[in-house]
Structure formats: C-alpha cells, structure tokens
Amino acid sequence: MGKGGNQGEGATEREAPMPTFRWEEIQKHNLRTDQWLVIDRKVYNITEWSHRHPGGHRVIGHYAGEDATDVFLAFHRNLDFVRKFMKPLLIGELAPEEPSQDHSKNSQITEDFRALRKTAEDMNLFKSSHLFFLLYLAHIIVMESIAWFTIFYFGNGWIPTVITAFVLATSQAQAGWLQHDYGHLSVYKKSTWNHIAHKFMIGHLKGASANWWNHRHFQHHAKPNIFHKDPDVNMLHVFVLGKWQPIEYGKKKLKYLPYNHQHEYFFLIGPPLLIPLYFQYQIIMSMIVHRDWVDLAWAISYYARFFITYIPFYGVLGAIIFLNFVRFLESHWFVWVTQMNHIVMEIDQEPYRDWFSSQLVATCNVEQSFFNDWFSGHLNFQIEHHLFPTMPRHNLHKVAPLVRSLCAKHGIEYQQKPLLRALQDIIRSLRQSGQLWLDAYLHK
C-alpha cells in the first residue's frame, strides 16, 4: 500500500509529502479498468484519462504497471504542454528505496540511452529540414501529374495504363512514407501542425484515416513484436510468427492453415491483399464505427479527386478496377519494406525489457544507399526510427553511429543487412516458424 510522510509543524496540506508506492503495488494496477504507470519516478493513475488519450487507450495502457519514462519521451515533442495534462493524474511517487526501473530492467542501459538522447538533442538531430519535406511532397505531386499526363497524351491502352498504374503505385508508396513522418510529429515543432498536415497527407493523398493509423501504429512502436500488444503481429491465424507462437499452436493442435507452407502462400495472400483488402476494410469500418467524420471527409476528397481524374478515361467500373490494381501494386511494396525489419526478429510475449533493448531485439536495419533510403522511406534505419520516433528521417543516419556504439558497450546485437538479404530473410523466417509448428504439431 502507499504511505504518506508526516507533515511538518505549520505545513499546509499543499506542502504535504506525496504518498509513496512500491513497485509491487504499482504492478498490480495493470488492468484495463485500473491502470497506473510511472514517469520520472512519479506515479500516475491513467484509468480514466486513457480513454481520452490522443494516441488511443491501448498504447498508453500497454505500459500500465510499468515505468513509461522512455516511451513518454519518445512519443511526445512538446513535453511542457503534455505535462499540463499529467498534473491531475499524479497520485504519488516511487518510494525512495525503490529502483527507477521495474521488473529488474537494466538501469545502466537506460541511463546510457538517456545520455545518448541528450547528445542527439544537443546535436539538433530532432530539428527537421522543411525543404527536405517540401521537395519530397513535390516529387509525389510530380508523379501524380505524370500519371495523368500519360493517360491524357497516350490514351487508355494497356501499355499506358500499366505504366500509369506503376507510377501511381510509386507515388502512393512514397506518400505513405511521407504521412508516416507527419504522423510521428517529426516535421514541425508544434504537434498541432503535424496533426493537420498528417490528416491531409494520409486522407487526401491516400484515402485513409489518420486516427486509424495513429491508434494502430503507436501500439506497434510502444511494444514492437509483442503478441496481444503489437497489432502488426496479429495475423488472424493466417501466419504463425517467431518461435513461441508456432510451438504453442502446434502443442494445441491448431491448424487453421498448413503453416509449414506459409512461406509459399505468403506470396498469394500477404503482399497482394494487405492494403486493397484487409487495410481498406479496417479503415472504412474504423471511420464509420468511431464516427470519425473529419477523417472520412478527407478520405472522400481523395476518392473524389481520383474518380474525377480517371472516370473520363475508364468509366466508373474501369476506374474502380484501376484503383484496386494500383493498391495491389502498392501493397507489395509496403509489405516487403515493413516486414523486412520486423518479422525476421524476435516475436514473443511480454519480456519486460528496457526501452533500448526492446527496440533492438524487434528491429533491424538495411544498409544505407540513396536508393534504399528512397525505396524504404528511410525505414532502412528502423532501429534508430524506433528509438527516436520523432526524429526527422533525414537525421537518422547521423545518430546511427551513437546507437551502434551503445550496443557495442552493452553487448547488444545491432543487425544491418543488404536489401536483398533482408527481403529473403522474410521468407526464411516464415519457413522456420512453419517448421517449428509442424514439429510441435506432429510430435508434442
């Protein structure tokens, strides 16, 4: 139980020492209806606030009963503004004899990482180049214009149509990386400006929902590759991932699909269908169910622009088919790039690691080159992006040497691969997980 100190003579209630709590008690408050967390040794009751949290109740709830200092620093740019909302939630602090880290997390790694973050701040690595993002947006608009001009000038034959589809798929993929920047608040100093730009980028340029993306993607960053907390590893029984899940499925004789062949059927239902089928359904349902009319209006503006542009060339049905073909192409690009950094890494239940270690075991990098940077939207620096989500992507390569040095100091593996090997490892990891399932299914 918490305990309060004795008030000094003449002390007012306002000056009374705050109640103190031990980790043993704090960790009990990790239920959906009862959530505490710790930031800078201060204890906050977020039970009611979590439902009003801009990032969604799940992402903040994933740290209930834990120290959330580093994830709090990673996700928020304007800390003074955010702390105003935290004051009413403050209920006490850690007892003086309690360590700052819960679950025996490595305090030395945490201390070194915070020093690294301070160094990055001193190097102005969180300051963005507005010219970089302006030129990036310009090259997307140029591709959209080239796509329209190709059909306008050469007609709607098969060759111009295929060329236009590939150009549009490229612009959509790049728009996806750009909206990702604004969604992570990595462009402007003020969060509000980032949020407004994000709604335009993901809504008008892609026809998707900013709120849907935020609630899904921030969970992934908070607890990457953790079952039941990272939605990106929720494969709806279609795939089994990592080592723990396939063995558990095998032991329980669960066989929704022949998982020993998942590395083969991945080509048929993974890259081709994620965006045009699964994500599209999720996005539309999310906006309707949550009555997110602002995001819906932005999405409608995208569809209106697309159909006004292409119905004159293809008719209504033809434009719908053309749109889904573009998304079919984009989906391949998106899946291969996003999975090459994560699906090949450790995927497990909650291990309760410090922030730095948890990101390193769940992410890996792809070698830097101009093409790799552009092709992946700088997500080839996935390690640095996960450690510093609000850092502008054009600065990730500058902080990478510091991260590698910290990994070397603590004996943590820093994985970096050539692009082709990273893509091949996706299939290799699916094959290995499928074999683990088959062995457990047949012999245990």
Side-chain angles (χ1 to χ4, degrees):
M1 292 293 293
K3 53 185 179 181
N6 295 324
Q7 296 186 28
E9 184 177 352
T12 64
E13 183 179 353
R14 179 177 57 84
E15 297 169 338
M18 298 190 68
T20 59
F21 301 95
R22 300 182 64 85
W23 277 118
E24 183 180 3
E25 179 176 359
I26 294 170
Q27 289 168 1
K28 296 177 182 177
H29 298 271
N30 64 349
L31 306 174
R32 185 168 184 176
T33 56
D34 181 18
Q35 298 179 338
W36 293 5
L37 54 74
V38 177
I39 298 174
D40 288 330
R41 297 188 63 86
K42 303 294 184 182
V43 182
Y44 298 89
N45 185 339
I46 61 165
T47 306
E48 298 299 327
W49 163 249
S50 65
H51 297 283
R52 291 177 286 144
H53 182 237
H57 68 89
R58 288 190 178 90
V59 64
I60 193 171
H62 289 341
Y63 274 86
E66 297 182 54
D67 176 71
T69 304
D70 291 303
V71 67
F72 173 78
L73 294 173
F75 281 13
H76 302 96
R77 292 206 65 164
N78 192 338
L79 298 180
D80 292 335
F81 175 77
V82 176
R83 287 191 173 103
K84 294 179 181 178
F85 295 93
M86 297 167 60
K87 288 182 180 179
L89 312 177
L90 181 64
I91 60 172
E93 58 189 9
L94 285 175
E97 66 273 14
E98 287 292 288
S100 296
Q101 298 299 307
D102 59 287
H103 293 93
S104 299
K105 295 176 183 176
N106 193 313
S107 59
Q108 187 58 56
I109 293 179
T110 298
E111 182 180 337
D112 289 347
F113 172 69
R114 291 176 186 174
L116 188 158
R117 182 181 179 88
K118 179 62 168 60
T119 300
E121 291 172 350
D122 293 341
M123 295 170 63
N124 288 324
L125 297 186
F126 289 91
K127 184 178 180 180
S128 68
S129 166
H130 292 169
L131 179 61
F132 173 89
F133 292 105
L134 180 62
L135 292 175
Y136 205 91
L137 174 60
H139 106 289
I140 293 170
I141 295 174
V142 167
M143 282 189 285
E144 295 271 352
S145 302
I146 290 174
W148 171 82
F149 181 78
T150 300
I151 296 297
F152 174 79
Y153 188 80
F154 295 102
N156 61 355
W158 279 105
I159 293 178
T161 296
V162 171
I163 292 174
T164 299
F166 273 91
V167 173
L168 283 177
T170 302
S171 71
Q172 284 291 287
Q174 294 301 320
W177 308 143
L178 183 58
Q179 68 81 22
H180 177 262
D181 297 312
Y182 289 95
H184 275 297
L185 316 180
S186 65
V187 180
Y188 301 118
K189 287 183 178 180
K190 290 189 176 181
S191 298
T192 302
W193 297 354
N194 284 293
H195 288 310
I196 293 173
H198 185 217
K199 287 188 179 295
F200 169 76
M201 296 296 172
I202 196 172
H204 186 67
L205 293 185
K206 293 190 63 61
S209 165
N211 287 337
W212 166 84
W213 183 91
N214 287 340
H215 293 173
R216 179 185 179 93
H217 193 65
F218 289 160
Q219 289 184 76
H220 162 68
H221 270 267
K223 294 285 185 175
N225 286 13
I226 303 300
F227 288 116
H228 309 302
K229 292 188 176 182
D230 180 358
D232 286 3
V233 296
N234 174 23
M235 296 295 176
L236 304 175
H237 307 303
V238 177
F239 302 100
V240 289
L241 305 176
K243 296 180 180 179
W244 175 81
Q245 187 185 44
I247 293 175
E248 284 298 303
Y249 271 47
K251 288 179 178 178
K252 296 177 181 178
K253 305 301 179 183
L254 297 178
K255 187 181 180 181
Y256 297 97
L257 286 169
Y259 298 121
N260 52 311
H261 294 289
Q262 65 179 3
H263 60 288
E264 297 169 344
Y265 65 71
F266 170 79
F267 291 94
L268 300 177
I269 63 178
L273 302 181
L274 182 67
I275 290 180
L277 187 65
Y278 182 58
F279 274 5
Q280 191 59 36
Y281 171 79
Q282 267 200 344
I283 291 168
I284 294 174
M285 291 304 298
S286 174
M287 291 187 292
I288 294 175
V289 171
H290 296 101
R291 298 180 179 181
D292 195 351
W293 308 132
V294 173
D295 280 10
L296 183 60
W298 277 114
I300 289 174
S301 75
Y302 163 80
Y303 287 106
R305 176 172 59 86
F306 184 91
F307 288 124
I308 288 173
T309 302
Y310 291 102
I311 282 178
F313 301 106
Y314 297 106
V316 175
L317 180 60
I320 293 174
I321 295 173
F322 183 60
L323 172 63
N324 281 280
F325 179 58
V326 171
R327 287 187 166 157
F328 166 83
L329 296 175
E330 180 202 355
S331 188
H332 285 79
W333 192 328
F334 176 83
V335 170
W336 286 102
V337 168
T338 56
Q339 296 310 307
M340 70 183 183
N341 303 110
H342 292 297
I343 201 174
V344 300
M345 303 300 290
E346 178 184 298
I347 305 175
D348 208 336
Q349 293 181 301
E350 178 65 80
Y352 294 110
R353 293 188 178 97
D354 60 89
W355 173 256
F356 184 81
S357 300
S358 66
Q359 305 304 320
L360 264 295
V361 299
T363 59
C364 65
N365 280 7
V366 170
E367 292 176 349
Q368 182 185 23
S369 71
F370 179 82
F371 175 79
N372 288 353
D373 291 353
W374 175 84
F375 180 74
S376 67
H378 287 84
L379 293 182
N380 49 329
F381 288 99
Q382 192 71 237
I383 293 173
E384 289 72 25
H385 169 60
H386 264 255
L387 291 173
F388 310 102
T390 60
M391 182 178 290
R393 64 157 98 167
H394 52 73
N395 287 335
L396 294 176
H397 73 281
K398 297 178 183 178
V399 78
L402 302 179
V403 175
R404 285 197 296 268
S405 178
L406 184 55
C407 287
K409 176 180 178 180
H410 291 281
I412 298 174
E413 185 178 10
Y414 181 101
Q415 289 197 37
Q416 181 169 284
K417 313 171 184 177
L419 177 61
L420 290 180
R421 180 188 159 197
L423 299 176
Q424 292 168 354
D425 281 351
I426 296 175
I427 305 305
R428 187 178 297 113
S429 66
L430 288 172
R431 182 188 295 113
Q432 291 172 349
S433 296
Q435 190 58 50
L436 287 173
W437 169 82
L438 183 62
D439 292 343
Y441 187 86
L442 295 176
H443 304 300
K444 296 182 180 181

